[in-house]
Amino acid sequence: MLAGKRVTLIIGGGIAAYKCLDLIRQLRRAGAMVTPVMTRAASEFVTPLSVAALAGMQVYQHLFDLKDEAEMGHIQLSRLSDLLVVAPATADLMAKMAQGHADDLATTLLMATDKPVLIAPAMNVRMWEHPATQRNLAQLQADGIAIIGPDSGDMACGEYGPGRMAEPEAILATITKHLTSGPLSGKRILVTSGPTHEPIDPVRYIANRSSGAQGTALARALRDLGADVIFVTGPANVPPPDGVTVHRVETAREMLAATEAALPVDAAIFAAAVADWRVENNFTQKMKKTTQGIPALKFSENPDILATIAAHPRRPRLVIGFAAETETVVAHAQAKRARKGCDWIVANDVSAATGIMGGTENAVHLISEEGVEDWPRLPKADVARRLAQRIAEALA
Ligand code: CTP
């Protein structure tokens, strides 16, 4: 996917530097050529020899290295690649970048480059939250530098919180997005995914068997074609893809609010299995069987997110619904398409025998104004790729 692309990877001095070895491996596997640059501190964490071995080329470390300068001057080096990636971007490197320092090879390259720059910050949580780092971050964003992460979690220093460097897969996905221009480049596409949870009381809820697998695969396929994907997901079993903007919601009403907030978009795909009803008399305290006996739940209808967006003043050009049916699949789906006002319906049979709901494969019918197309049973990722391709053709 990155064949012929050149990435200069500037490795900063932090414990997360070890993840760069994997990042280099993944970048090269994707076809990219990686020019590694290490700060002096970085070589305390990983050896230049390991980096050079994985990159398959020499590591650049020093500004005043006659041999390096004779072979490739630092200005030339700074312009050589399609993208400069700083990983890990330490608090110190971020401060230097924000201030415009150029006192070693890494910072000089960053000052001299005319190419886009992506940084993956990694540091202790207090350092990340420090007003100075946040000031520097704002400055770097204002300077047009792209940022990925940091993630939250356990840190090498024993603390917990934001500060962990994004995982190599996530960095690779972001790099790919920066460097590839697919047929959906510049298009904003919304995908809803997963089930919704409708509370009965603070500890109980009503849900359904959707795993979120089809919506997630679709978001990934759209991203791979270059789309800017806004992924609104209920509590799914599968993690959201890297390189998309994720909004996590629980209820149908939250999903509607997040979806409306994402408008305008070029296309919207409603792959979520939204609960049709919510418990109207949901309890603010946990229901007790000792005092309440068998509860009588009262339901009210949830908003229909797809129908709302299809009739919205800012309706996307292409609105696609899914129809989960257990009988007379195509006829029900055709009626659904008309009722909801969407352009296409992707219909599937979710009766238990098919193993589709919560499974890895899907057999769909694509229903549009032109008629019905029956697709073969395919892995959900292939259904997603085929659909993403069709969306790209429709939006072209
Ligand atoms: N949908 C939605 N909001 C809802 C219900 C459904 O956006 N409140 C969307 C789903 O994401 C899907 C499509 O509408 O794209 C059809 O969902 P489905 O559950 O098959 O249809 P329902 O409207 O619930 O119809 P029924 O339950 O009667 O089959």
Side-chain angles (χ1 to χ4, degrees):
M1 228 169 352
L2 294 177
K5 301 290 180 192
R6 303 175 81 124
V7 174
T8 295
L9 177 64
I10 297 176
I11 306 176
I15 186 74
Y18 78 92
K19 289 189 189 173
C20 284
L21 299 177
D22 192 25
L23 178 61
I24 294 172
R25 207 175 44 81
Q26 294 198 30
L27 278 164
R28 292 198 66 202
R29 201 190 290 150
M33 199 174 132
V34 182
T35 306
V37 175
M38 292 175 75
T39 64
R40 188 205 303 265
S43 56
E44 302 287 339
F45 294 92
V46 284
T47 69
L49 190 60
S50 324
V51 172
L54 283 166
M57 78 152 80
Q58 82 165 102
V59 175
Y60 295 89
Q61 288 178 279
H62 308 292
L63 186 53
F64 303 110
D65 186 319
L66 259 184
K67 179 175 165 287
D68 284 359
E69 282 294 317
E71 284 170 10
M72 169 143 20
H74 61 268
I75 300 293
Q76 198 187 345
L77 188 57
S78 78
R79 316 238 164 119
L80 166 87
S81 59
D82 300 296
L83 177 73
L84 270 69
V85 178
V86 185
T90 59
D92 183 57
L93 258 177
M94 285 177 64
K96 284 181 167 157
M97 289 174 73
Q99 291 293 318
H101 287 213
D103 59 0
D104 63 3
L105 181 62
T107 49
T108 304
L109 295 183
L110 288 161
M111 280 290 281
T113 191
D114 57 356
K115 296 294 168 14
V117 177
L118 168 72
I119 67 169
M123 65 198 72
N124 165 274
V125 56
R126 299 263 172 278
M127 292 173 79
W128 173 252
E129 285 169 352
H130 196 286
T133 304
Q134 292 302 311
R135 257 195 325 271
N136 293 333
L137 176 70
Q139 183 60 55
L140 294 173
Q141 280 169 321
D143 291 346
I145 285 175
I147 324 273
I148 170 158
D151 292 347
S152 282
D154 287 323
M155 311 198 58
C157 55
E159 292 186 44
Y160 182 90
R164 282 163 60 119
M165 189 170 91
E167 293 302 321
E169 297 74 36
I171 300 177
L172 177 69
T174 305
I175 292 173
T176 307
K177 205 165 135 186
H178 270 81
L179 293 182
T180 48
S181 58
L184 287 172
S185 289
K187 298 280 190 280
R188 242 173 97 80
I189 302 190
L190 170 95
V191 178
T192 71
S193 183
T196 62
H197 284 183
E198 306 296 332
I200 298 172
D201 70 12
V203 296
R204 302 179 176 94
Y205 56 81
I206 292 176
N208 58 62
R209 292 185 199 280
S210 165
S211 62
Q214 187 62 81
T216 302
L218 191 53
R220 191 175 286 124
L222 292 163
R223 173 205 72 191
D224 287 346
L225 294 187
D228 203 352
V229 178
I230 300 103
F231 187 63
V232 178
T233 178
N237 294 342
V238 293
D242 294 316
V244 306
T245 306
V246 181
H247 296 287
R248 292 176 199 275
V249 297
E250 291 229 334
T251 66
R253 287 188 293 177
E254 287 169 7
M255 189 172 273
L256 173 63
T259 299
E260 283 191 296
L263 298 179
V265 293
D266 296 286
I269 300 118
F270 296 85
V274 184
D276 290 322
W277 305 284
R278 67 176 177 277
V279 180
E280 197 181 284
N281 55 339
N282 76 73
F283 294 78
T284 50
Q285 302 299 332
K286 185 183 172 206
M287 293 163 74
K288 305 294 286 177
K289 64 175 177 292
T290 41
T291 50
Q292 262 143 330
I294 296 174
L297 300 181
K298 229 177 114 195
F299 289 93
S300 58
E301 198 168 331
N302 265 331
D304 190 313
I305 305 168
L306 164 57
T308 307
I309 301 301
H312 203 278
R314 285 192 286 172
R315 185 191 196 278
R317 247 170 80 199
L318 184 62
V319 175
I320 305 172
F322 274 71
E325 307 292 346
T326 55
E327 55 180 352
T328 42
V329 176
V330 170
H332 274 150
Q334 278 168 323
K336 205 168 269 184
R337 177 179 168 270
R339 196 167 66 241
K340 301 207 182 210
C342 53
D343 302 301
W344 302 350
I345 280 266
V346 182
N348 55 8
D349 183 347
V350 292
S351 47
T354 64
I356 283 174
M357 201 130 184
T360 56
E361 293 186 337
N362 208 350
V364 307
H365 311 272
L366 181 64
I367 299 168
S368 66
E369 205 178 18
E370 278 88 54
V372 182
E373 276 177 38
D374 303 321
W375 290 9
R377 192 176 171 112
L378 293 165
K380 285 182 177 175
D382 291 349
V383 172
R385 275 192 282 272
R386 239 171 126 147
L387 193 58
Q389 199 56 49
R390 295 294 289 269
I391 293 168
E393 285 160 22
L395 293 181

